[in-house]
Amino acid sequence: MTDTDFRSGFICFVGRPNTGKSTLTNALVGSKIAITSSRPQTTRHTIRGIVHRDKAQLILVDTPGLHRPRTLLGQRLNDLVQDTYSEVDAIGMCFPADEKIGPGDRWILEQVRHMAPKTPVVGIVTKIDKVGKQQVAAQLLAVSKLLGEDCEVVPVSAASGEQVEVLIDVLVSHMEPGPAFYPDGELTDEPEETLMAELIREAALEGLGDELPHSLAVVIEEITEREGRTEKQGEMLDVHALLYVERPSQKGIVIGKGGARLREVGTAARTQIEKLLGVKIYLDLHVKVAKDWQRDPKQLGRLGF
């Protein structure tokens, strides 16, 4: 093989909740395309982030975390994960530097090896900016022991950017020579509506209790261009979105006292969406109850699952 060969391929990151998978995706792509939240199971769609380098292109598939399913939605999310594992060229398994390896990590590795026995696994020790060098070294050894000595292990900090390029080089080394799948400059193949819905969902989940993550779905109803704007004012979009919850009590939580919570959600989401689209937006949010939507195949389909 000559050094002019271009390499490309698909990668997904796995790991327990909060191991830094989505933050890492955003750091590698260089833009916010995956929602990050301290709540487990917040990623709902396989968002593809695209990493462009002179002689390589990596497509990062951000899957929902693997978990033991309790609802039809849970089962569908797991099926989505299984399909992804069997189709990617490499799997990056994330372990935070500040947490010991536990039964959850071993269970996920077992599932990965069962679903994709031939796919190479790269160990990634995340959040190295949070601990000292000794702790990082100890975690690297522990991860290497768990994955086996044939697997490469890379320490990285998505927050500071330390070792991000090293990780990209290691991942590229597992790709076959092949063409670029996406044009230069394109960062994701997700429709903008999906990304907008995810950003609203992220803002709504921030600071809420455990009962909501699975129960919240966001649908973008309509996007229209605001008419009558002068050139000086610039373009503006009106975005109308519905937040679906399963119970009236949850509706109250999302809206907050006198609508205060929903206004906060709107402000936070609007800032992120304006960054994404590069234009001013007016964001109109409404909360609706769709009783037990996670267990109802019809409603799941309507809400995009």
Side-chain angles (χ1 to χ4, degrees):
M1 175 181 140
T2 67
D3 62 1
T4 54
D5 278 344
F6 193 89
R7 287 174 178 267
S8 59
F10 293 77
I11 289 154
C12 79
F13 294 138
V14 302
R16 285 181 291 110
N18 306 332
T19 50
K21 301 181 292 292
S22 295
T23 312
L24 191 58
T25 296
N26 293 334
L28 267 65
V29 173
S31 177
K32 180 160 187 161
I33 55 131
I35 76 165
T36 57
S37 165
S38 54
R39 305 253 65 87
Q41 269 307 109
T42 46
T43 307
R44 278 282 169 81
H45 296 273
T46 52
I47 291 186
R48 293 189 167 93
I50 303 154
V51 181
H52 301 273
R53 289 297 178 270
D54 288 344
K55 293 189 177 177
Q57 188 178 82
L58 300 175
I59 295 99
L60 309 178
V61 186
D62 189 41
T63 63
L66 253 188
H67 63 296
R68 296 177 174 88
R70 291 192 303 273
T71 61
L72 180 60
L73 172 66
Q75 189 52 58
R76 286 200 181 173
L77 291 176
N78 266 10
D79 292 346
L80 194 70
V81 174
Q82 183 155 358
D83 290 347
T84 304
Y85 286 1
S86 54
E87 288 168 9
V88 295
D89 300 289
I91 291 171
M93 187 160 176
C94 298
F95 303 85
D98 58 349
E99 288 175 37
K100 281 195 159 44
I101 290 170
D105 298 302
R106 292 187 188 92
W107 184 80
I108 289 169
L109 182 60
E110 214 175 279
Q111 301 300 309
V112 166
R113 295 250 154 100
H114 171 68
M115 292 176 188
K118 293 188 173 137
T119 309
V121 174
V122 173
I124 304 168
V125 173
T126 59
K127 307 184 185 183
I128 61 170
D129 52 302
K130 290 191 166 185
V131 298
K133 284 187 174 161
Q134 238 174 330
Q135 208 172 327
V136 172
Q139 188 71 322
L140 288 170
L141 277 173
V143 171
S144 189
K145 194 176 168 188
L146 176 71
L147 298 182
E149 51 195 39
D150 293 347
C151 293
E152 288 175 271
V153 184
V154 183
V156 70
S157 165
S160 70
E162 192 183 348
Q163 292 272 113
V164 165
E165 286 303 319
V166 173
L167 177 60
I168 289 173
D169 290 344
V170 168
L171 294 172
V172 167
S173 72
H174 287 281
M175 302 299 110
E176 296 287 329
F181 292 95
Y182 295 93
D184 206 15
E186 204 164 303
L187 300 179
T188 178
D189 69 352
E190 277 296 310
E192 281 172 347
E193 282 93 335
T194 306
L195 292 173
M196 288 157 79
E198 288 285 278
L199 290 169
I200 294 166
R201 213 167 145 263
E202 176 182 42
L205 290 176
E206 214 40 63
L208 288 182
D210 286 334
E211 64 166 317
L212 267 177
H214 290 279
S215 309
L216 188 67
V218 178
V219 174
I220 304 290
E221 285 278 275
E222 192 183 27
I223 303 171
T224 53
E225 201 170 324
R226 177 77 62 94
E227 286 176 10
R229 302 269 296 172
T230 64
E231 203 172 311
K232 195 177 175 186
Q233 287 173 313
E235 192 186 346
M236 186 174 191
L237 297 177
D238 291 327
V239 179
H240 301 273
L242 288 173
L243 286 76
Y244 285 95
V245 291
E246 292 194 302
R247 297 192 295 280
S249 61
Q250 294 171 336
K251 184 177 178 178
I253 293 169
V254 176
I255 292 173
K257 196 175 179 185
R261 171 103 191 95
L262 194 60
R263 280 196 295 278
E264 279 172 23
V265 170
T267 304
R270 192 186 71 235
T271 307
Q272 292 292 347
I273 293 170
E274 285 180 343
K275 268 190 209 164
L276 173 76
L277 301 180
V279 296
K280 287 259 174 255
I281 69 157
Y282 165 74
L283 184 58
D284 178 48
L285 301 178
H286 290 277
V287 185
K288 278 192 169 182
V289 178
K291 199 170 180 303
D292 292 334
W293 65 263
Q294 292 184 74
R295 296 168 197 280
D296 177 349
K298 235 194 212 138
Q299 296 206 77
L300 276 174
R302 197 162 53 88
L303 296 175
F305 301 105

